[in-house]
Amino acid sequence: QVQLVESGGGLVQAGGSLSVSCAASGRTFSTIAMGWFRQAPGKEREFVAAISRGGSITNYADSVKGRFTISRDNVKRTMYLQMNSLNPEDTAVYFCAGRVAIAGRTYTSQKEYDDWGQGTQVTVSS
C-alpha cells in the first residue's frame, strides 16, 4: 500500500497555469504506476493523465492533451501535474492514484488503482 497526499491546488484565472503535486510514502515509489483524476461538482470522477512507474510512458485524456503535463521524480517520491491554458471546465477536485505495476504500463481506469489521495481543489475563474 502507498499513502498519497496532494498539494498545490488553488484559484487561478482562465488562461493561467497551476501545478499540483502528489507525495507518496509507504511502498517503494518506483514500483508504482500513477495517475491523476478529477471530479467536478455534480459529475463523475474522470481520468486526466497517467504515468508509468519509471516515468517514460504517459497517457492523457483528450480534454487536457497539449495543455497538461504529468511527470514524476522517483527520488523525491513525488508526482506532478503541470496545468496550462486552464479554463473554467477544468475546475474540479484533483485526485492522485497509484498501484503496483510492471514497467511501461499506464492505467486510465479508476477501477485499476488501489490507493488514492484525499484530493486538492482547483478552481478556474472566467
Side-chain angles (χ1 to χ4, degrees):
Q1 188 177 12
V2 61
Q3 291 75 46
L4 303 170
V5 178
E6 302 94 338
S7 61
L11 175 64
V12 64
Q13 288 188 332
S17 298
L18 196 66
S19 180
V20 291
S21 301
C22 175
S25 60
R27 190 179 289 274
T28 303
F29 190 57
S30 59
T31 67
I32 305 294
M34 300 289 294
W36 286 101
F37 291 78
R38 66 186 181 185
Q39 186 166 20
K43 295 186 178 181
E44 294 186 353
R45 189 158 54 183
E46 65 176 4
F47 168 73
V48 174
I51 190 166
S52 61
R53 70 183 201 183
S56 61
I57 307 298
T58 59
N59 209 339
Y60 296 93
D62 289 342
S63 59
V64 306
K65 203 170 292 183
R67 300 188 298 123
F68 290 13
T69 302
I70 188 172
S71 62
R72 65 188 292 163
D73 185 329
N74 284 354
V75 174
K76 294 182 178 179
R77 303 175 60 87
T78 302
M79 176 180 65
Y80 307 94
L81 185 68
Q82 175 65 42
M83 302 179 286
N84 299 327
S85 302
L86 285 161
N87 58 63
E89 290 70 39
D90 295 315
T91 295
V93 177
Y94 283 71
F95 298 89
C96 64
R99 60 158 290 156
V100 175
I102 60 174
R105 278 294 309 270
T106 60
Y107 302 86
T108 62
S109 170
Q110 55 185 309
K111 295 180 181 179
E112 296 177 295
Y113 287 91
D114 297 315
D115 300 301
W116 293 83
Q118 81 290 348
T120 186
Q121 177 70 46
V122 172
T123 302
V124 184
S125 63
S126 57

